[in-house]
Amino acid sequence: MKPLTPEERRVIVDKGTEAPFTGRYYNHTKEGVYRCRQCGAPLYRSQDKFDAGCGWPSFDDEVPGAVRRTPDADGRRTEITCARCGGHLGHVFTGEGFTPKQTRHCVNSISLDFEPADGGTSGGPASTPAAEAAPRTDTAIFAGGCFWGVEHMLAQMPGVVDVESGYTGGATENPTYEEVCSHRTGHAEAVRVTFDPSKVSYEELAKRFLEIHDPTQIDRQGPDIGDQYRSEIFYTTRAQRETAEKLLDTLRQKGYDVATRVTPAGRFWPAEGYHQDYYARKGTQPYCHTYTKRF
C-alpha cells in the first residue's frame, strides 16, 4: 500500500469527501487509466469519463471487477470502493440520464492516481516517489471448479499480487454462496487475480489455470457437480480474449475436448470472508485441483 497524507487518509480510509470543484481530476481530459491512490489497482478508463457538472470526476463505467458497490447504512446511496484494497472512492448513481449507460460513478479525485496513455505526466501534482515506485498491476478472472483450489494454486505463482474468490457470470446481484449453490443465479465460482505484468504475463497465468483444473469437464470439477463449477475464462480486454482462445486452440490440437468458455468479464462479486485464503488458513491442500502439464 502507498503511504497516504492526512487528507488522503480522511477521504480514502475514513470515507470523507473532498470539496466539489477542487479535485485535480475534475476537468482532467487526458487519455489514460485512473488507478486507486492507495494500492494502484486500475479503476477507470478515460473514455468512460464525462462531465456531469457535479464538481467531482464522473465515469459511466469501471474496469471490470475493479469497483465494489455497498449500500450505505441509511439505504439512500451506494458507496463505491476499490475492490482490491477497500479504499473509499465515492458513490454511484443510476438512472440520471447523463449517458446511455445511465450510470454515474462520482469519485473523489484524491482517491485516484492517473496513468497517461502516452507515458507523460499525470496533469496533476507531481507524483510522490512512493507512487512512482508502485508496481503496475492488471486483473485476470478465471472459473474452474471450487474457487478454494484455484485461488490457492494461482496465489503461489511469482508475480501474483492477490487472488480473491468470488462469483461472476450470472445475473443475481450481491449473490450469497447459498444462492449460487441453488443453481438459480447463473454465477460461477471464480477468482479475480491481481498480478504484476512485469513479473508474470497473462498468458502464463492462463496456462497455469488450464493446468490446475480439467478444462474438458462440463459443469463440474472432480466430485463437485453443478453449473457454478464450470470452466470459464472471463476476459477484460481483447488481448486477453485472443490469448485465451489461442491457448484453447492449442489444447484442441493436442487432442483435448475443451469445454472451457471464453466470456467478456462482468461484475465480480467477492465471496464471503470465510471463503478467502481457505487452504492457507486451514493448512491443507486442494482436494480437486492438482497440476497437470498440458503445454
Side-chain angles (χ1 to χ4, degrees), residues 4-146:
L4 302 177
T5 67
E7 179 61 12
E8 289 170 341
R9 177 167 289 277
R10 182 186 72 81
V11 173
I12 298 171
V13 177
D14 298 331
K15 304 183 184 300
T17 302
E18 67 189 8
F21 303 102
T22 63
R24 56 179 168 169
Y25 296 129
Y26 172 58
N27 287 319
H28 192 251
T29 58
K30 284 195 172 185
E31 295 294 318
V33 175
Y34 294 85
R35 293 179 175 270
C36 175
R37 175 69 185 88
Q38 181 166 243
C39 73
L43 300 173
Y44 300 101
R45 301 185 177 97
S46 57
Q47 58 262 40
D48 298 316
K49 191 173 187 291
F50 68 97
D51 183 8
C54 61
W56 294 275
S58 297
F59 304 86
D60 68 359
D61 207 350
E62 73 262 35
V63 171
V67 176
R68 182 178 302 172
R69 303 186 184 198
T70 306
D72 278 353
D74 60 11
R76 297 169 56 190
R77 296 189 303 174
T78 299
E79 181 193 10
I80 45 177
T81 56
C82 172
R84 177 178 163 192
C85 72
H88 176 72
L89 304 174
H91 289 83
V92 64
F93 305 91
T94 59
E96 296 177 320
F98 285 109
T99 76
K101 293 184 178 180
Q102 294 283 339
T103 299
R104 174 172 64 98
H105 289 246
C106 185
V107 185
N108 292 289
S109 289
I110 204 168
S111 297
L112 303 172
D113 270 337
F114 181 70
E115 180 184 352
D118 61 7
T121 60
S122 68
S127 299
T128 65
E132 293 171 355
R136 302 301 183 192
T137 59
D138 206 344
T139 302
I141 302 174
F142 303 113
C146 176

